[in-house]
Amino acid sequence: MKPARILTAPWRAVKNPLFLYQHHRQIHALRVALAFLFGLMINLSFPIQHGSWMLVTIVVMLGNVPHLGAVAQKTRQRTVGTTVGALAGLLALALYGVSPLLSFAWMVLVILLSAYHAIGKAGYTALTVGITLVIVAGVGDGTVDESLWRTANVALGSLISMLAASLFPQRALDHWRFLLSDNLRESALIYSHIARRVPLDTEAALGRFNTRLVAMRGLISAAASECEQSTVSFESIQRGQRTLYSLFDRMDDIAEKTAVLADGGRQRQAIVKALFRAAHGIRFLHADLLLNALPEPQLKERTPGACDWLSAELSQTTRRLCDELLLLMPAILATQQTLLPLSKEEALRRLED
């Protein structure tokens, strides 16, 4: 190995999305602390007035938002909200010199509009407008100099937050795909156990599945933003997972009453293999593992039982999920600038294990 590669290996290792995902809490806490320390040093090194607003902004921006895409979204919303709120606050100060009542009426109107739009898609932006208005204008008797300092501190805090989010960036897209990988692997295990009548705590397994599904729901917007895609594909994959959950829940209820599950094992093995390959494909970014030639569901010559129909639906759902992930893969790969991917042989070896 070249000396330069040896020296940069630790840095490249901690930039690996899988490492960042596995240690996301610790890295997030360290990053927020470093950003706060940097803001504190700026306050202590320069004669900045109202510097506490910079520190407040850093904590608010990064506190519970670990992903780069979410921080970028929040920064855009806060920038717009801060700008509009600051202008509204400066206007309130100007109106105060004309008539305090006119200034108060303007502030109440802005707060009214802010509260109205706070319950909606642009809620954070609207809320920031109202907060910034109060910060800048106070009760109408503040000074322009003080207002500008507060606005500048909020803007600087937002910039520091973005820089901190770029340090060991935790992408919502990576978090989303690792959760998806775990769910696909869990799906393969659940179906295999149910179909082969192997004892399994299905309730606990489905509980883990649903917990990941709920977590993925909150990542969709930021993940789509990071790979510059609409949320349509992500929503479709989300629906596919909910279908899997429903199928396994119904299968578990009726499995003990059914002698065999569809096609004497051949279809079962194909579905399990497809789910395992899809899990590894999305985790290790190997699109060829998503290319699965699942056989068409074969219902038995006798009257098909409930599990036969459920297995046929499971096969179709698995095929659709693989197709949707295959279409999304180029956009995912485009975001992986510092990824240390496993080789295809390593991914296949892990799949076989």
Side-chain angles (χ1 to χ4, degrees):
M1 183 181 292
K2 296 181 180 180
R5 189 172 181 82
I6 294 175
L7 293 174
T8 59
W11 174 258
R12 289 184 290 111
V14 298
K15 296 282 281 186
N16 189 305
L18 185 57
F19 178 87
L20 295 174
Y21 168 72
Q22 292 171 337
H23 303 88
H24 66 279
R25 285 183 177 271
Q26 297 89 332
I27 292 172
H28 173 62
L30 178 62
R31 187 171 51 198
V32 175
L34 289 175
F36 184 86
L37 178 61
F38 184 66
L40 187 61
M41 290 176 61
I42 291 177
N43 273 279
L44 296 175
S45 302
F46 300 96
I48 297 177
Q49 299 179 31
H50 307 288
S52 59
W53 286 107
M54 180 196 309
L55 302 178
V56 169
T57 300
I58 291 172
V59 175
V60 170
M61 294 291 291
L62 292 175
N64 66 339
V65 184
H67 304 110
L68 182 60
V71 174
Q73 282 184 330
K74 206 168 184 179
T75 298
R76 288 193 296 268
Q77 294 170 356
R78 192 173 181 86
T79 300
V80 173
T82 299
T83 302
V84 175
L87 293 174
L90 291 173
L91 181 56
L93 292 178
L95 291 174
Y96 189 84
V98 178
S99 169
L101 290 178
L102 186 59
S103 176
F104 297 151
W106 167 248
M107 292 175 65
V108 170
L109 176 61
V110 173
I111 293 297
L112 177 67
L113 294 174
S114 171
Y116 179 82
H117 291 286
I119 305 176
K121 193 172 183 180
Y124 185 72
T125 302
L127 186 63
T128 305
V129 170
I131 293 173
T132 306
L133 168 70
V134 177
I135 291 172
V136 171
V139 293
D141 57 351
T143 65
V144 174
D145 181 65
E146 185 180 57
S147 302
L148 291 176
W149 268 112
R150 290 176 177 177
T151 304
N153 274 301
V154 171
L156 186 56
S158 298
L159 177 60
I160 293 173
S161 299
M162 275 301 299
L163 293 175
S166 301
L167 179 66
F168 305 123
Q170 296 182 18
R171 295 185 177 89
L173 181 61
D174 291 327
H175 202 157
W176 177 86
R177 67 185 178 86
F178 289 136
L179 288 171
L180 174 59
S181 174
D182 290 340
N183 261 3
L184 291 173
R185 181 176 177 82
E186 189 95 61
S187 297
L189 294 173
I190 292 173
Y191 178 57
S192 179
H193 279 74
I194 292 176
R196 293 184 296 115
R197 303 299 190 276
V198 177
L200 173 70
D201 189 348
T202 310
E203 185 175 350
L206 289 177
R208 293 191 297 269
F209 185 102
N210 190 57
T211 298
R212 298 189 196 102
L213 192 60
V214 172
M216 291 175 68
R217 169 76 264 174
L219 296 170
I220 287 178
S221 178
S225 176
E226 288 174 0
C227 64
E228 299 180 349
Q229 298 290 308
S230 72
T231 60
V232 174
S233 297
F234 293 90
E235 294 285 1
S236 180
I237 292 170
Q238 196 81 353
R239 286 194 298 272
Q241 290 183 89
R242 286 197 295 269
T243 301
L244 291 179
Y245 180 95
S246 177
L247 287 170
F248 296 142
D249 192 32
R250 284 182 284 166
M251 279 184 181
D252 187 51
D253 288 339
I254 63 175
E256 294 181 358
K257 304 175 184 177
T258 306
V260 290
L261 286 183
D263 201 29
R266 186 173 66 88
Q267 184 178 338
R268 171 184 58 80
Q269 292 170 2
I271 294 173
V272 170
K273 182 179 179 181
L275 288 169
F276 271 127
R277 286 175 63 88
H280 282 69
I282 195 65
R283 191 178 190 88
F284 302 123
L285 299 179
H286 289 296
D288 53 338
L289 293 178
L290 299 171
L291 295 170
N292 293 291
L294 272 171
E296 288 296 327
Q298 297 293 324
L299 296 178
K300 299 176 181 179
E301 294 181 358
R302 61 170 175 78
T303 303
C307 277
D308 298 320
W309 290 108
L310 292 175
S311 295
E313 186 177 354
L314 177 60
S315 179
Q316 293 176 347
T317 301
T318 301
R319 185 185 295 108
R320 285 197 301 270
L321 274 173
C322 289
D323 291 343
E324 289 164 354
L325 287 172
L326 197 59
L327 292 174
L328 193 58
M329 185 64 77
I332 296 176
L333 288 171
T335 68
Q336 307 302 313
Q337 299 174 355
T338 58
L339 179 66
L340 298 176
L342 294 175
S343 65
K344 176 180 177 182
E345 293 77 13
E346 175 70 7
L348 290 174
R349 183 183 66 77
R350 292 195 182 196
L351 178 61
E352 292 172 355
D353 293 342

